[in-house]
Amino acid sequence: MAQTAMTIRVDNHIKKQFDFLCEQFGMSANAAVNVFINAVVRTRTIPFKISAELNPTSQALLDMLYATDRSDRPDLTMEEIDEEIRKARQERRERMEREKQEQQKEVA
């Protein structure tokens, strides 16, 4: 699996505390950040609460968003989404193969 480097900026004092805690956990800071990133991707959430005061306009927009009827949108698991993608790709390959065969027949 290919990997990529990522650069982040952190306060020096916080970084030292983080490194110390990670050492206590028996892992590197890099491993801890990867655990966080994987948890976000796996759960599709931030694994802790983030909050801020909302102004009335922002709150009204959020209320409207959450009030929107989403019953027509099916909830799919990642496995179901992957299967849908796999099927679509297979159908596309089959269609392209048929089109290629038809073109070859026309040339012959």
Side-chain angles (χ1 to χ4, degrees):
M1 172 170 48
Q3 294 189 345
T4 188
M6 192 166 102
T7 303
I8 59 171
R9 298 195 185 282
V10 180
D11 178 88
N12 288 336
H13 183 69
I14 296 295
K15 172 73 167 84
K16 287 178 186 176
Q17 291 179 45
F18 184 69
D19 286 338
F20 177 77
L21 287 170
C22 289
E23 186 177 312
Q24 298 298 306
F25 300 147
M27 67 174 66
S28 66
N30 185 65
V33 170
N34 274 293
V35 167
F36 170 78
I37 291 170
N38 282 300
V40 169
V41 170
R42 186 180 63 254
T43 64
R44 301 181 60 80
T45 64
I46 300 294
F48 46 83
K49 184 177 178 181
I50 299 175
S51 63
E53 300 264 338
L54 291 175
N55 63 42
T57 302
S58 296
Q59 185 62 55
L61 289 171
L62 282 175
D63 291 344
M64 194 169 66
L65 173 69
Y66 290 121
T68 303
D69 179 21
R70 297 175 185 267
S71 61
D72 63 333
R73 299 181 192 161
D75 291 328
L76 298 174
T77 66
M78 288 303 294
E79 291 80 16
E80 292 169 326
I81 293 169
D82 288 342
E83 182 63 17
E84 291 287 327
I85 292 169
R86 188 194 65 72
K87 286 178 184 177
R89 287 179 176 165
Q90 180 64 34
E91 289 172 3
R92 180 174 179 254
R93 282 191 293 271
E94 291 170 358
R95 186 182 71 249
M96 290 175 69
E97 184 62 31
R98 281 191 309 271
E99 291 172 358
K100 182 179 176 183
Q101 289 173 356
E102 288 173 10
Q103 287 176 353
Q104 288 174 346
K105 286 180 186 178
E106 290 174 3
V107 171

